Structure formats: structure tokens, C-alpha cells
Amino acid sequence: MENMEKIIVEIDSMLEELIPNYLKNRTSEIEELKVLYGKGDLASLGKLAHKIAGNSGSYGFHEMGQYAKEIENKCSEGSSEGISESINNIENYLANIEVKYI
Amino acid sequence: MSVFKDKEIYIIDDDESILLLLTKILENKGVTVKTFTDPQEGLATLTLGAPSLVMLDLDFNESEISGYDILKVRMGDAILPKIPFIVFSGHSGKKHIKQAIELKADDFIPKPINAAVIQAKLKKFFQSEEIKSVTFNENERPSVQANLKGEISHISENCLQITSQMKFVQGTKLDINGPLIKNIGAEICQFETINDAQALDVGYYKNKAKILGVNNQIATNIRRLDF
């Protein structure tokens, strides 16, 4: 995994008690993304990516939402090109974010 | 008094993280929330309960039914159309919005969810409901001077339409009070039903009444209303 600078994400303090569990669940979904990609199951991969895209932005993790959207779009096109990179981007993002509550 | 007071909202979405998020946003405003990850369970509970409003996701990953199916069931039901439905989806293209509107959704919110947008839409929704609520009684039959609740479903410079659980015959004089009547300065007006009440769904009637005593200022205020 690349050693990246911390990514500071500002999140509404109203959501503070939800964030640790939210990030834990997204981290465990990375493995599921990799398994589905490895199987070539673009239908299921697209559905999971759609879910992550929807909830990431809602919580304030817009960059992760964008990567998930890329995966969703590729799956709906029937193309696996670039998906591996997007999954890596999500993994790096989660490993390097620092939440600042505002 | 907050417009969110005493409101109960049902939320149906198979993504638990969205349910947690919306619950936090709404409970922060004093709303009581009931959540469902299983749309079938949500639909079954809806037919038994009476929430103030339903928030419904249109896309369910694992379910046999979609949010669009729930909207169709609602359209065919006698009571459910009276409960406002705000739908949301990660698919927010024109055709998705159009389909939701054709299925009588009251509003569409695209994902990702924005807390401020949700709060503003709900506030506007509940404020609009409050303004339209009225109490009225027949003033020609003193023995029946109970206050009745209704909702103004239409108003123009010479008549208004009230939906309620009471039916009146043509020519009944009504004494109508409520925030909207006060806002337009129509407390000085008299109201008299134009025709016999029309039956709507089970237990509800539409009463149309003429407004007498509308002056220029009241007429201007009515024209400015967002009806």
C-alpha cells in the first residue's frame, strides 16, 4: 500500500458517533469488492459499488463516492477496465483519511 | 413551536448506514423515526400504522420488490395516498424522476443525501400541511357546534375546497378558522357550501364553499398563495 499523505475530511459533528462503525463497514467491503472483481461478477460488483457511492457522499466521503461511482459505471458498461485501480483508490483512501469534526 | 413536533416518519431503505444517517438527522429535529431494511415489512407496517410521512428508497439490492412497486401499491390503496411519500435514489436521471412523479411520489431527493436539503424539504412540507389545516363548525345548527378538522385543498378568490370527514349539504354556513385563513386576513369572511359534499376515499368528503366578503387585500393575498 502506498504511503500517502493524510486526507483530511471534514464531517458534521452530528455524525461523530456513527463514523467509526461506518468506516469499519466500508473497509470490510473492500475485500468483497476484490472477491467480486476476481470472479468477474460485474452485476454484483456494480450493485455493491452503487451502494457505496450512495452512502459515501451522504456521510461526506465524496472522494470515495467518486471512486465507487467509477466502478459502478464500468460495471454497467460491461467493462472491467480500470476497476482494479478504483478499488485500490478506495483502499488507499480509507487507509489514509483523517476525520475532522466540524 | 417546531413543525417537527409530534411527527413520526417511516424510512424504508435496505442500506443500514443510510437508515442510521437519516435517523440521526431527523431525531436531531425531534422527529420519531421507524426504520425498515426489508421493504415488505415496511409496507406491511404502513398499512397498520399512520406515520406523518414516509421516506422511501427506490432501489433495493436484495429484494423482490422495488420502491417503485411500493409506490404502485400505494396508488391502489384507499388510505396510503393520504400519507406523503418522499423518495430518494442514487439514480437521479430525468426518466427516474419522471417515473417517480408518475407514480405519485410527493418529492424526489437524489443521493448522496444532504442533511440540510432533507431538513429544509421536510420543514417546508410540514409547514405547508400546518397552514392548510382548519377547524370549522356549522353555525346554523348550534347543537352540532363541535370543532372539526379539515384541510384546504384548493382556494381561489371566490371559493375554497375543504377535505374532511364531515359532509355538508348545499347552503350550509361554515365558520372556518386556521393559519391560512388568518394569513390572508379572511377571518372577516363568511363561508357557505356551494353544493352537496362529494365522497372521496373511505370516510372523507370534499366540501366546496363560496367565500363572501373578499376585499381587494384578501384577493391579493389569495393570489399570492402557492397553491
Side-chain angles (χ1 to χ4, degrees):
Chain A
M1 199 173 304
E2 291 176 37
N3 188 16
M4 292 173 59
E5 278 184 24
K6 283 290 177 191
I7 304 165
I8 309 289
V9 181
E10 292 184 341
I11 302 290
D12 191 323
S13 58
M14 175 178 63
L15 305 182
E16 186 168 355
E17 68 180 45
L18 301 181
I19 296 302
N21 226 37
Y22 175 78
L23 292 176
K24 184 177 157 196
N25 289 338
R26 300 292 81 72
T27 302
S28 63
E29 277 168 356
I30 294 170
E31 283 314 305
E32 200 179 338
L33 289 170
K34 289 178 179 175
V35 166
L36 291 171
Y37 173 68
K39 284 182 183 174
D41 184 354
L42 295 187
S44 301
L45 181 58
K47 279 185 182 176
L48 179 54
H50 173 76
K51 178 189 162 189
I52 296 171
N55 62 44
S56 300
S58 303
Y59 274 78
F61 300 104
H62 300 286
E63 196 173 323
M64 178 164 63
Q66 191 52 47
Y67 296 137
K69 193 72 186 168
E70 287 168 4
I71 297 171
E72 183 189 356
N73 289 342
K74 284 291 178 186
C75 290
S76 65
E77 289 165 12
S79 164
S80 59
E81 188 186 331
I83 288 180
S84 177
E85 185 182 345
S86 297
I87 294 175
N88 285 342
N89 285 338
I90 292 176
E91 189 168 28
N92 287 337
Y93 178 82
L94 285 170
N96 292 286
I97 52 167
E98 187 173 308
V99 177
K100 184 179 166 190
Y101 295 103
I102 53 170
Chain B
M1 186 170 72
S2 166
V3 294
F4 296 104
K5 188 177 182 290
D6 298 328
K7 296 293 188 281
E8 184 183 32
I9 295 181
Y10 286 8
I11 313 173
I12 308 176
D13 191 328
D14 61 352
D15 186 344
E16 194 147 350
S17 56
I18 293 291
L19 293 178
L20 288 169
L21 175 69
L22 285 172
T23 299
K24 182 60 80 171
I25 292 170
L26 297 177
E27 285 184 346
N28 206 40
K29 286 292 179 189
V31 175
T32 301
V33 174
K34 221 176 238 185
T35 61
F36 305 89
T37 51
D38 179 352
Q40 304 266 23
E41 187 194 346
L43 189 56
T45 308
L46 255 178
T47 56
L48 301 171
S52 314
L53 186 140
V54 174
M55 298 187 74
L56 171 68
D57 185 29
L58 291 176
D59 324 301
F60 297 114
N61 271 341
E62 305 296 330
S63 171
E64 287 176 2
I65 67 171
S66 69
Y68 296 103
D69 295 322
I70 293 181
L71 288 176
K72 286 175 193 167
V73 167
R74 175 185 178 237
M75 280 175 74
D77 190 86
I79 305 294
L80 289 180
K82 295 195 193 333
I83 303 173
F85 270 55
I86 293 181
V87 299
F88 45 88
S89 173
H91 299 296
S92 54
K94 280 185 186 172
K95 71 169 188 181
H96 299 102
I97 298 173
K98 185 174 179 239
Q99 189 178 3
I101 291 170
E102 282 171 357
L103 294 174
K104 308 292 184 198
D106 293 277
D107 206 339
F108 183 105
I109 297 176
K111 281 181 177 174
I113 288 162
N114 179 298
V117 167
I118 298 257
Q119 288 165 355
K121 278 190 182 280
L122 290 177
K123 186 178 178 186
K124 189 177 173 185
F125 208 93
F126 290 136
Q127 274 179 339
S128 168
E129 276 197 336
E130 264 198 5
I131 285 171
K132 289 182 193 171
S133 71
V134 292
T135 56
F136 59 98
N137 60 58
E138 284 183 69
N139 57 23
E140 292 238 291
R141 288 197 285 172
S143 60
V144 190
Q145 284 236 344
N147 271 349
L148 305 156
K149 285 198 172 170
E151 180 178 304
I152 296 177
S153 47
H154 174 76
I155 185 168
S156 67
E157 291 160 51
N158 45 36
C159 71
L160 56 72
Q161 195 166 277
I162 294 179
T163 303
S164 76
Q165 291 180 299
M166 190 75 181
K167 61 176 178 177
F168 299 100
V169 296
Q170 181 180 347
T172 305
K173 290 188 174 57
L174 302 175
D175 181 15
I176 301 180
N177 298 292
L180 186 145
I181 299 296
K182 192 174 171 190
N183 283 352
I184 61 174
E187 301 105 313
I188 58 170
C189 296
Q190 298 84 48
F191 306 90
E192 185 177 318
T193 53
I194 297 170
N195 47 21
D196 292 351
Q198 181 188 336
L200 299 173
D201 296 326
V202 175
Y204 284 85
Y205 302 91
K206 184 165 70 176
N207 296 277
K208 204 168 177 182
K210 57 185 173 186
I211 313 174
L212 303 164
V214 173
N215 58 32
N216 286 341
Q217 187 56 57
I218 295 172
T220 301
N221 293 341
I222 289 173
R223 284 194 293 272
R224 283 183 184 150
L225 288 172
D226 179 20
F227 250 89

Tab-separated table of all heavy atoms in Angstrom, chain B residues 13-65:
chain	number	residue	atom	x	y	z
B	13	ASP	N	-35.267	1.623	3.527
B	13	ASP	CA	-34.046	1.578	2.708
B	13	ASP	C	-33.258	0.350	3.139
B	13	ASP	O	-33.109	0.102	4.337
B	13	ASP	CB	-33.214	2.856	2.942
B	13	ASP	CG	-32.066	2.998	1.927
B	13	ASP	OD1	-31.515	1.971	1.473
B	13	ASP	OD2	-31.718	4.139	1.596
B	14	ASP	N	-32.763	-0.442	2.177
B	14	ASP	CA	-32.045	-1.657	2.570
B	14	ASP	C	-30.604	-1.377	2.999
B	14	ASP	O	-29.894	-2.285	3.422
B	14	ASP	CB	-32.086	-2.705	1.449
B	14	ASP	CG	-31.429	-2.215	0.160
B	14	ASP	OD1	-31.079	-1.028	0.066
B	14	ASP	OD2	-31.272	-3.043	-0.757
B	15	ASP	N	-30.153	-0.130	2.896
B	15	ASP	CA	-28.800	0.231	3.329
B	15	ASP	C	-28.863	0.762	4.758
B	15	ASP	O	-29.349	1.872	4.999
B	15	ASP	CB	-28.222	1.299	2.386
B	15	ASP	CG	-26.762	1.619	2.688
B	15	ASP	OD1	-26.280	1.263	3.780
B	15	ASP	OD2	-26.121	2.233	1.826
B	16	GLU	N	-28.372	-0.050	5.696
B	16	GLU	CA	-28.488	0.319	7.101
B	16	GLU	C	-27.726	1.612	7.423
B	16	GLU	O	-28.150	2.374	8.305
B	16	GLU	CB	-27.954	-0.819	7.968
B	16	GLU	CG	-28.347	-0.655	9.401
B	16	GLU	CD	-28.574	-1.975	10.108
B	16	GLU	OE1	-28.618	-3.031	9.439
B	16	GLU	OE2	-28.697	-1.933	11.333
B	17	SER	N	-26.647	1.877	6.713
B	17	SER	CA	-25.888	3.102	7.013
B	17	SER	C	-26.703	4.341	6.645
B	17	SER	O	-26.597	5.374	7.303
B	17	SER	CB	-24.531	3.105	6.312
B	17	SER	OG	-24.667	2.947	4.941
B	18	ILE	N	-27.527	4.236	5.611
B	18	ILE	CA	-28.406	5.360	5.252
B	18	ILE	C	-29.497	5.517	6.307
B	18	ILE	O	-29.854	6.633	6.699
B	18	ILE	CB	-29.029	5.159	3.854
B	18	ILE	CG1	-27.945	5.238	2.773
B	18	ILE	CG2	-30.143	6.166	3.596
B	18	ILE	CD1	-27.358	6.626	2.575
B	19	LEU	N	-30.034	4.401	6.804
B	19	LEU	CA	-31.060	4.476	7.850
B	19	LEU	C	-30.503	5.142	9.101
B	19	LEU	O	-31.164	5.971	9.729
B	19	LEU	CB	-31.576	3.073	8.198
B	19	LEU	CG	-32.366	2.351	7.103
B	19	LEU	CD1	-32.774	0.965	7.574
B	19	LEU	CD2	-33.596	3.147	6.698
B	20	LEU	N	-29.272	4.780	9.475
B	20	LEU	CA	-28.649	5.378	10.662
B	20	LEU	C	-28.449	6.877	10.460
B	20	LEU	O	-28.682	7.681	11.370
B	20	LEU	CB	-27.297	4.705	10.942
B	20	LEU	CG	-27.342	3.270	11.476
B	20	LEU	CD1	-25.967	2.631	11.462
B	20	LEU	CD2	-27.919	3.256	12.889
B	21	LEU	N	-28.004	7.242	9.275
B	21	LEU	CA	-27.747	8.654	8.959
B	21	LEU	C	-29.035	9.469	9.029
B	21	LEU	O	-29.102	10.509	9.694
B	21	LEU	CB	-27.128	8.746	7.567
B	21	LEU	CG	-26.900	10.142	7.013
B	21	LEU	CD1	-25.796	10.857	7.778
B	21	LEU	CD2	-26.549	10.105	5.533
B	22	LEU	N	-30.073	8.983	8.355
B	22	LEU	CA	-31.341	9.720	8.327
B	22	LEU	C	-31.968	9.777	9.717
B	22	LEU	O	-32.551	10.801	10.103
B	22	LEU	CB	-32.316	9.072	7.342
B	22	LEU	CG	-32.010	9.321	5.862
B	22	LEU	CD1	-32.907	8.480	4.970
B	22	LEU	CD2	-32.180	10.789	5.509
B	23	THR	N	-31.841	8.693	10.470
B	23	THR	CA	-32.367	8.681	11.844
B	23	THR	C	-31.691	9.762	12.665
B	23	THR	O	-32.341	10.508	13.405
B	23	THR	CB	-32.153	7.300	12.501
B	23	THR	OG1	-32.840	6.307	11.748
B	23	THR	CG2	-32.654	7.287	13.933
B	24	LYS	N	-30.388	9.874	12.533
B	24	LYS	CA	-29.627	10.888	13.282
B	24	LYS	C	-30.092	12.299	12.885
B	24	LYS	O	-30.342	13.150	13.741
B	24	LYS	CB	-28.131	10.704	12.998
B	24	LYS	CG	-27.199	11.654	13.734
B	24	LYS	CD	-27.284	11.571	15.225
B	24	LYS	CE	-26.531	10.433	15.817
B	24	LYS	NZ	-26.481	10.531	17.307
B	25	ILE	N	-30.234	12.531	11.594
B	25	ILE	CA	-30.645	13.850	11.088
B	25	ILE	C	-32.037	14.209	11.603
B	25	ILE	O	-32.288	15.328	12.054
B	25	ILE	CB	-30.652	13.865	9.544
B	25	ILE	CG1	-29.231	13.748	8.994
B	25	ILE	CG2	-31.312	15.136	9.004
B	25	ILE	CD1	-29.167	13.504	7.486
B	26	LEU	N	-32.963	13.245	11.559
B	26	LEU	CA	-34.354	13.525	11.903
B	26	LEU	C	-34.578	13.573	13.406
B	26	LEU	O	-35.313	14.433	13.913
B	26	LEU	CB	-35.272	12.481	11.258
B	26	LEU	CG	-35.250	12.484	9.728
B	26	LEU	CD1	-36.127	11.368	9.172
B	26	LEU	CD2	-35.720	13.822	9.188
B	27	GLU	N	-33.953	12.648	14.149
B	27	GLU	CA	-34.129	12.658	15.609
B	27	GLU	C	-33.513	13.926	16.199
B	27	GLU	O	-33.973	14.425	17.229
B	27	GLU	CB	-33.519	11.403	16.243
B	27	GLU	CG	-34.371	10.160	16.006
B	27	GLU	CD	-33.844	8.915	16.707
B	27	GLU	OE1	-32.684	8.918	17.172
B	27	GLU	OE2	-34.601	7.934	16.774
B	28	ASN	N	-32.513	14.467	15.518
B	28	ASN	CA	-31.903	15.740	15.918
B	28	ASN	C	-32.918	16.877	15.891
B	28	ASN	O	-32.761	17.878	16.568
B	28	ASN	CB	-30.751	16.045	14.952
B	28	ASN	CG	-29.701	16.923	15.602
B	28	ASN	OD1	-29.368	16.757	16.755
B	28	ASN	ND2	-29.183	17.876	14.839
B	29	LYS	N	-33.960	16.693	15.076
B	29	LYS	CA	-35.006	17.701	14.937
B	29	LYS	C	-36.226	17.373	15.780
B	29	LYS	O	-37.233	18.062	15.724
B	29	LYS	CB	-35.441	17.801	13.453
B	29	LYS	CG	-34.424	18.509	12.584
B	29	LYS	CD	-34.360	19.965	12.952
B	29	LYS	CE	-33.352	20.731	12.155
B	29	LYS	NZ	-33.161	22.086	12.672
B	30	GLY	N	-36.168	16.270	16.526
B	30	GLY	CA	-37.289	15.910	17.399
B	30	GLY	C	-38.307	14.997	16.758
B	30	GLY	O	-39.386	14.770	17.297
B	31	VAL	N	-37.987	14.463	15.590
B	31	VAL	CA	-38.909	13.560	14.901
B	31	VAL	C	-38.736	12.145	15.451
B	31	VAL	O	-37.632	11.720	15.760
B	31	VAL	CB	-38.610	13.555	13.378
B	31	VAL	CG1	-39.463	12.526	12.652
B	31	VAL	CG2	-38.833	14.929	12.792
B	32	THR	N	-39.841	11.417	15.551
B	32	THR	CA	-39.783	9.989	15.893
B	32	THR	C	-39.606	9.214	14.592
B	32	THR	O	-40.302	9.476	13.610
B	32	THR	CB	-41.088	9.545	16.577
B	32	THR	OG1	-41.274	10.329	17.749
B	32	THR	CG2	-41.010	8.074	16.972
B	33	VAL	N	-38.678	8.274	14.606
B	33	VAL	CA	-38.337	7.568	13.370
B	33	VAL	C	-38.513	6.062	13.549
B	33	VAL	O	-38.156	5.505	14.585
B	33	VAL	CB	-36.871	7.873	12.970
B	33	VAL	CG1	-36.458	7.039	11.776
B	33	VAL	CG2	-36.700	9.345	12.664
B	34	LYS	N	-39.064	5.436	12.515
B	34	LYS	CA	-39.137	3.971	12.477
B	34	LYS	C	-38.463	3.555	11.166
B	34	LYS	O	-38.805	4.109	10.102
B	34	LYS	CB	-40.603	3.531	12.442
B	34	LYS	CG	-40.926	2.324	13.312
B	34	LYS	CD	-42.412	2.022	13.292
B	34	LYS	CE	-42.945	2.076	14.703
B	34	LYS	NZ	-44.326	1.708	14.849
B	35	THR	N	-37.533	2.601	11.230
B	35	THR	CA	-36.784	2.246	10.024
B	35	THR	C	-37.016	0.795	9.617
B	35	THR	O	-37.286	-0.070	10.464
B	35	THR	CB	-35.271	2.461	10.233
B	35	THR	OG1	-34.838	1.610	11.308
B	35	THR	CG2	-34.941	3.904	10.561
B	36	PHE	N	-36.895	0.553	8.314
B	36	PHE	CA	-37.103	-0.788	7.772
B	36	PHE	C	-36.064	-1.045	6.684
B	36	PHE	O	-35.950	-0.264	5.739
B	36	PHE	CB	-38.508	-0.914	7.154
B	36	PHE	CG	-39.609	-0.560	8.096
B	36	PHE	CD1	-40.058	0.741	8.190
B	36	PHE	CD2	-40.195	-1.529	8.896
B	36	PHE	CE1	-41.075	1.088	9.077
B	36	PHE	CE2	-41.216	-1.200	9.781
B	36	PHE	CZ	-41.651	0.116	9.873
B	37	THR	N	-35.315	-2.158	6.829
B	37	THR	CA	-34.409	-2.557	5.752
B	37	THR	C	-35.152	-3.472	4.780
B	37	THR	O	-34.757	-3.609	3.634
B	37	THR	CB	-33.172	-3.311	6.288
B	37	THR	OG1	-33.614	-4.369	7.146
B	37	THR	CG2	-32.245	-2.378	7.048
B	38	ASP	N	-36.216	-4.099	5.262
B	38	ASP	CA	-36.997	-5.009	4.419
B	38	ASP	C	-38.232	-4.257	3.900
B	38	ASP	O	-39.110	-3.914	4.690
B	38	ASP	CB	-37.417	-6.229	5.241
B	38	ASP	CG	-38.266	-7.220	4.445
B	38	ASP	OD1	-38.650	-6.884	3.301
B	38	ASP	OD2	-38.535	-8.303	4.952
B	39	PRO	N	-38.308	-3.991	2.594
B	39	PRO	CA	-39.434	-3.221	2.085
B	39	PRO	C	-40.789	-3.892	2.307
B	39	PRO	O	-41.788	-3.204	2.503
B	39	PRO	CB	-39.128	-3.083	0.583
B	39	PRO	CG	-38.099	-4.106	0.281
B	39	PRO	CD	-37.352	-4.363	1.543
B	40	GLN	N	-40.806	-5.230	2.306
B	40	GLN	CA	-42.077	-5.938	2.537
B	40	GLN	C	-42.589	-5.652	3.947
B	40	GLN	O	-43.779	-5.402	4.173
B	40	GLN	CB	-41.893	-7.461	2.381
B	40	GLN	CG	-41.320	-7.899	1.053
B	40	GLN	CD	-42.395	-8.256	0.047
B	40	GLN	OE1	-43.530	-7.817	0.140
B	40	GLN	NE2	-42.041	-9.063	-0.940
B	41	GLU	N	-41.652	-5.673	4.906
B	41	GLU	CA	-42.016	-5.395	6.301
B	41	GLU	C	-42.473	-3.937	6.436
B	41	GLU	O	-43.437	-3.634	7.134
B	41	GLU	CB	-40.822	-5.661	7.211
B	41	GLU	CG	-41.151	-5.569	8.708
B	41	GLU	CD	-39.901	-5.492	9.570
B	41	GLU	OE1	-38.793	-5.766	9.062
B	41	GLU	OE2	-40.035	-5.133	10.747
B	42	GLY	N	-41.766	-3.051	5.746
B	42	GLY	CA	-42.134	-1.637	5.786
B	42	GLY	C	-43.542	-1.418	5.266
B	42	GLY	O	-44.342	-0.697	5.865
B	43	LEU	N	-43.855	-2.067	4.162
B	43	LEU	CA	-45.183	-1.931	3.555
B	43	LEU	C	-46.258	-2.497	4.471
B	43	LEU	O	-47.314	-1.878	4.664
B	43	LEU	CB	-45.194	-2.662	2.210
B	43	LEU	CG	-46.402	-2.470	1.313
B	43	LEU	CD1	-46.640	-1.003	1.022
B	43	LEU	CD2	-46.221	-3.250	0.018
B	44	ALA	N	-45.990	-3.660	5.075
B	44	ALA	CA	-46.973	-4.287	5.964
B	44	ALA	C	-47.234	-3.389	7.172
B	44	ALA	O	-48.379	-3.207	7.593
B	44	ALA	CB	-46.477	-5.660	6.414
B	45	THR	N	-46.187	-2.786	7.731
B	45	THR	CA	-46.343	-1.930	8.911
B	45	THR	C	-47.081	-0.642	8.542
B	45	THR	O	-47.857	-0.118	9.340
B	45	THR	CB	-44.972	-1.595	9.521
B	45	THR	OG1	-44.248	-2.799	9.738
B	45	THR	CG2	-45.109	-0.847	10.825
B	46	LEU	N	-46.830	-0.154	7.332
B	46	LEU	CA	-47.503	1.063	6.864
B	46	LEU	C	-49.007	0.920	6.886
B	46	LEU	O	-49.730	1.858	7.217
B	46	LEU	CB	-47.108	1.332	5.409
B	46	LEU	CG	-46.125	2.444	5.150
B	46	LEU	CD1	-45.828	2.509	3.658
B	46	LEU	CD2	-46.666	3.776	5.636
B	47	THR	N	-49.480	-0.246	6.496
B	47	THR	CA	-50.929	-0.448	6.417
B	47	THR	C	-51.547	-0.522	7.815
B	47	THR	O	-52.759	-0.388	7.958
B	47	THR	CB	-51.276	-1.717	5.623
B	47	THR	OG1	-50.608	-2.826	6.224
B	47	THR	CG2	-50.816	-1.599	4.178
B	48	LEU	N	-50.706	-0.723	8.825
B	48	LEU	CA	-51.230	-0.791	10.201
B	48	LEU	C	-51.028	0.529	10.939
B	48	LEU	O	-51.817	0.892	11.799
B	48	LEU	CB	-50.519	-1.905	10.988
B	48	LEU	CG	-50.640	-3.325	10.427
B	48	LEU	CD1	-49.717	-4.272	11.169
B	48	LEU	CD2	-52.075	-3.800	10.515
B	49	GLY	N	-49.939	1.226	10.609
B	49	GLY	CA	-49.626	2.460	11.329
B	49	GLY	C	-50.126	3.687	10.587
B	49	GLY	O	-50.769	3.585	9.558
B	50	ALA	N	-49.806	4.861	11.080
B	50	ALA	CA	-50.228	6.112	10.442
B	50	ALA	C	-49.117	7.148	10.609
B	50	ALA	O	-49.274	8.115	11.352
B	50	ALA	CB	-51.524	6.615	11.058
B	51	PRO	N	-47.981	6.945	9.921
B	51	PRO	CA	-46.900	7.925	10.071
B	51	PRO	C	-47.269	9.258	9.441
B	51	PRO	O	-48.180	9.332	8.614
B	51	PRO	CB	-45.740	7.261	9.306
B	51	PRO	CG	-46.399	6.398	8.287
B	51	PRO	CD	-47.664	5.904	8.940
B	52	SER	N	-46.540	10.300	9.818
B	52	SER	CA	-46.767	11.625	9.229
B	52	SER	C	-46.244	11.668	7.800
B	52	SER	O	-46.731	12.440	6.980
B	52	SER	CB	-46.037	12.691	10.045
B	52	SER	OG	-46.258	12.501	11.414
B	53	LEU	N	-45.211	10.839	7.537
B	53	LEU	CA	-44.563	10.888	6.229
B	53	LEU	C	-43.713	9.629	6.074
B	53	LEU	O	-43.271	9.055	7.066
B	53	LEU	CB	-43.671	12.140	6.166
B	53	LEU	CG	-42.975	12.525	4.870
B	53	LEU	CD1	-43.019	14.035	4.688
B	53	LEU	CD2	-41.553	12.047	4.843
B	54	VAL	N	-43.489	9.222	4.844
B	54	VAL	CA	-42.618	8.064	4.569
B	54	VAL	C	-41.468	8.516	3.679
B	54	VAL	O	-41.676	9.268	2.711
B	54	VAL	CB	-43.399	6.938	3.859
B	54	VAL	CG1	-42.468	5.802	3.441
B	54	VAL	CG2	-44.494	6.402	4.760
B	55	MET	N	-40.251	8.083	4.027
B	55	MET	CA	-39.104	8.306	3.147
B	55	MET	C	-38.725	6.941	2.582
B	55	MET	O	-38.500	5.981	3.336
B	55	MET	CB	-37.938	8.915	3.921
B	55	MET	CG	-38.293	10.280	4.502
B	55	MET	SD	-36.890	11.120	5.243
B	55	MET	CE	-36.009	11.612	3.776
B	56	LEU	N	-38.679	6.827	1.283
B	56	LEU	CA	-38.570	5.535	0.617
B	56	LEU	C	-37.456	5.530	-0.412
B	56	LEU	O	-37.421	6.382	-1.308
B	56	LEU	CB	-39.909	5.228	-0.080
B	56	LEU	CG	-39.974	4.030	-1.011
B	56	LEU	CD1	-39.845	2.726	-0.227
B	56	LEU	CD2	-41.278	4.043	-1.797
B	57	ASP	N	-36.543	4.566	-0.268
B	57	ASP	CA	-35.518	4.380	-1.292
B	57	ASP	C	-36.162	3.668	-2.471
B	57	ASP	O	-37.027	2.803	-2.288
B	57	ASP	CB	-34.370	3.539	-0.725
B	57	ASP	CG	-33.212	3.396	-1.699
B	57	ASP	OD1	-32.994	4.296	-2.523
B	57	ASP	OD2	-32.533	2.365	-1.635
B	58	LEU	N	-35.772	4.011	-3.667
B	58	LEU	CA	-36.388	3.387	-4.838
B	58	LEU	C	-35.649	2.121	-5.285
B	58	LEU	O	-36.219	1.291	-5.991
B	58	LEU	CB	-36.437	4.390	-6.005
B	58	LEU	CG	-37.397	5.555	-5.810
B	58	LEU	CD1	-37.289	6.542	-6.972
B	58	LEU	CD2	-38.833	5.056	-5.684
B	59	ASP	N	-34.385	1.982	-4.889
B	59	ASP	CA	-33.596	0.846	-5.376
B	59	ASP	C	-33.224	-0.088	-4.241
B	59	ASP	O	-32.456	0.295	-3.362
B	59	ASP	CB	-32.275	1.346	-6.021
B	59	ASP	CG	-32.471	2.648	-6.760
B	59	ASP	OD1	-33.293	2.656	-7.684
B	59	ASP	OD2	-31.820	3.647	-6.410
B	60	PHE	N	-33.764	-1.310	-4.249
B	60	PHE	CA	-33.389	-2.305	-3.247
B	60	PHE	C	-32.564	-3.387	-3.922
B	60	PHE	O	-32.971	-3.937	-4.941
B	60	PHE	CB	-34.643	-2.924	-2.619
B	60	PHE	CG	-35.475	-1.929	-1.871
B	60	PHE	CD1	-36.742	-1.588	-2.306
B	60	PHE	CD2	-34.993	-1.315	-0.734
B	60	PHE	CE1	-37.511	-0.666	-1.610
B	60	PHE	CE2	-35.751	-0.387	-0.039
B	60	PHE	CZ	-37.015	-0.054	-0.480
B	61	ASN	N	-31.400	-3.695	-3.336
B	61	ASN	CA	-30.487	-4.659	-3.955
B	61	ASN	C	-30.984	-6.086	-3.890
B	61	ASN	O	-30.888	-6.830	-4.845
B	61	ASN	CB	-29.120	-4.588	-3.276
B	61	ASN	CG	-28.234	-3.554	-3.937
B	61	ASN	OD1	-28.487	-3.148	-5.069
B	61	ASN	ND2	-27.208	-3.116	-3.238
B	62	GLU	N	-31.444	-6.490	-2.702
B	62	GLU	CA	-31.725	-7.914	-2.485
B	62	GLU	C	-33.205	-8.258	-2.498
B	62	GLU	O	-33.577	-9.394	-2.332
B	62	GLU	CB	-31.148	-8.362	-1.123
B	62	GLU	CG	-29.657	-8.086	-0.953
B	62	GLU	CD	-28.790	-8.874	-1.931
B	62	GLU	OE1	-29.200	-9.979	-2.322
B	62	GLU	OE2	-27.722	-8.366	-2.304
B	63	SER	N	-34.056	-7.260	-2.654
B	63	SER	CA	-35.489	-7.513	-2.507
B	63	SER	C	-36.131	-7.860	-3.845
B	63	SER	O	-35.660	-7.448	-4.901
B	63	SER	CB	-36.141	-6.271	-1.915
B	63	SER	OG	-37.543	-6.394	-1.943
B	64	GLU	N	-37.252	-8.587	-3.756
B	64	GLU	CA	-38.016	-8.891	-4.973
B	64	GLU	C	-38.801	-7.674	-5.429
B	64	GLU	O	-39.180	-7.576	-6.596
B	64	GLU	CB	-39.008	-10.035	-4.693
B	64	GLU	CG	-38.321	-11.391	-4.562
B	64	GLU	CD	-39.303	-12.490	-4.195
B	64	GLU	OE1	-40.512	-12.211	-4.082
B	64	GLU	OE2	-38.841	-13.618	-3.998
B	65	ILE	N	-39.086	-6.778	-4.483
B	65	ILE	CA	-39.848	-5.592	-4.863
B	65	ILE	C	-38.955	-4.351	-4.781
B	65	ILE	O	-37.988	-4.314	-4.038
B	65	ILE	CB	-41.120	-5.394	-4.008
B	65	ILE	CG1	-40.765	-5.065	-2.553
B	65	ILE	CG2	-41.999	-6.612	-4.077
B	65	ILE	CD1	-41.975	-4.643	-1.743
